[in-house]
Amino acid sequence: MSQNYSALLKKLNLFIREYYKNQMLRGTIYSVIGLVSTLIALAIIEHYGFFNGFIRSLLFWSYLGCSIVAFVWFVLIPLFKMLKLADRLTHKEAAQIIGKHFGNVSDKLTNILELSDIEKGNVEIITASIDQKIKEIELTPFHDAVDWKKTLNYGKYLIVPIGIILTLFLSGNKDVISESTHRIINYNSEFIKPAPFYFKLIADTIEVVEKDNVNLNLEIYGDER
């Protein structure tokens, strides 16, 4: 194996590593968007439903299960592949991805890898042919085939769930998220649904002679009377 070919494989390995770094970042963005959106949906459902402990436990464990699956699928698996702890892209598969970005490199890169697999024939001629083709593509920046810009662009979708949370907090309705989430997390605890109305005593102080009757002036607030 020539030094040129070894250098080419090193560039391919660096590309593969960069490829999985990109997948991890993209997976993290996907996970955050999905999990935050799901949390908002579950909190709103619980806010209006005020479910019993059994239903809240289903919501809690379902959300936890989705979180674990999302983390493993979108983050952990790409990490294992990047660290060579699981099956990952072969050099030929990496060449195909690079070829989609650099059309003029695709055939040459694939041909180089195929020539290196040839076990019979004149070794010197094969090596010379490989070196010649490597020189034609050695200035190609393989890492540019990793579309970081597209991945970072997905981050803009985080604005939607974060915007919903900020709107609820700034409008004074943070209880929709905070209290509902608290009840889902503490699904084993018993919570009493608040009354749909409450009384407010108009007078700050009340003075009355002992055993005499007294009139109380109240104001009633709420959705129902």
Side-chain angles (χ1 to χ4, degrees):
M1 184 182 298
S2 67
Q3 292 183 349
N4 289 334
Y5 186 72
S6 298
L8 176 68
L9 292 185
K10 186 177 180 180
K11 282 183 66 176
L12 284 173
N13 289 331
L14 288 174
F15 165 79
I16 293 172
R17 187 177 182 85
E18 200 78 0
Y19 174 84
Y20 284 116
K21 283 183 181 178
N22 183 57
Q23 277 203 337
M24 287 173 60
L25 177 59
R26 187 175 297 189
T28 300
I29 294 174
Y30 287 161
S31 299
V32 173
I33 293 173
L35 293 177
V36 173
S37 300
T38 303
L39 178 62
I40 294 171
L42 294 181
I44 292 175
I45 292 172
E46 166 58 20
H47 174 75
Y48 289 103
F50 213 98
F51 300 115
N52 56 35
F54 175 72
I55 300 298
R56 292 201 310 272
S57 68
L58 289 180
L59 296 178
F60 174 80
W61 289 109
S62 297
Y63 183 79
L64 184 62
C66 289
S67 301
I68 293 173
V69 170
F71 177 73
V72 171
W73 185 262
F74 290 114
V75 180
L76 210 56
I77 290 178
L79 176 62
F80 284 166
K81 290 182 177 182
M82 186 183 73
L83 298 176
K84 299 181 180 180
L85 298 176
D87 292 338
R88 64 177 193 166
L89 290 174
T90 63
H91 290 142
K92 289 184 179 180
E93 290 171 338
Q96 291 175 356
I97 296 173
I98 295 170
K100 291 178 181 178
H101 190 81
F102 300 102
N104 60 328
V105 171
S106 179
D107 293 338
K108 294 176 182 178
L109 189 54
T110 302
N111 189 239
I112 291 170
L113 296 172
E114 289 174 348
L115 284 173
S116 67
D117 290 336
I118 297 177
E119 297 179 354
K120 296 181 181 180
N122 191 309
V123 176
E124 292 183 357
I125 294 177
I126 294 174
T127 302
S129 178
I130 290 174
D131 288 343
Q132 176 61 38
K133 292 181 182 297
I134 289 176
K135 288 181 180 180
E136 294 174 4
I137 64 170
E138 63 181 353
L139 297 179
T140 304
F142 291 171
H143 59 272
D144 284 354
V146 178
D147 199 343
W148 286 100
K149 184 177 180 180
K150 183 177 180 180
T151 296
L152 293 172
N153 193 45
Y154 286 118
K156 66 183 180 183
Y157 296 108
L158 285 169
I159 297 174
V160 177
I162 292 175
I164 293 174
I165 293 175
L166 287 176
T167 300
L168 290 172
F169 273 73
L170 295 176
S171 63
N173 295 305
K174 65 178 182 178
D175 293 348
V176 174
I177 298 295
S178 59
E179 291 191 5
S180 300
T181 303
H182 176 72
R183 290 197 300 271
I184 292 174
I185 293 174
N186 298 279
Y187 61 86
N188 284 326
S189 302
E190 183 179 354
F191 296 94
I192 299 175
K193 187 175 183 178
F197 59 88
Y198 65 92
F199 299 106
K200 180 183 179 182
L201 191 63
I202 295 177
D204 293 333
T205 58
I206 299 176
E207 295 181 359
V208 62
V209 177
E210 187 177 0
K211 296 186 179 180
D212 280 0
N213 294 329
V214 60
N215 292 325
L216 298 179
N217 294 319
L218 305 173
E219 291 181 347
I220 303 175
Y221 295 88
D223 299 326
E224 300 177 15
R225 296 194 177 190

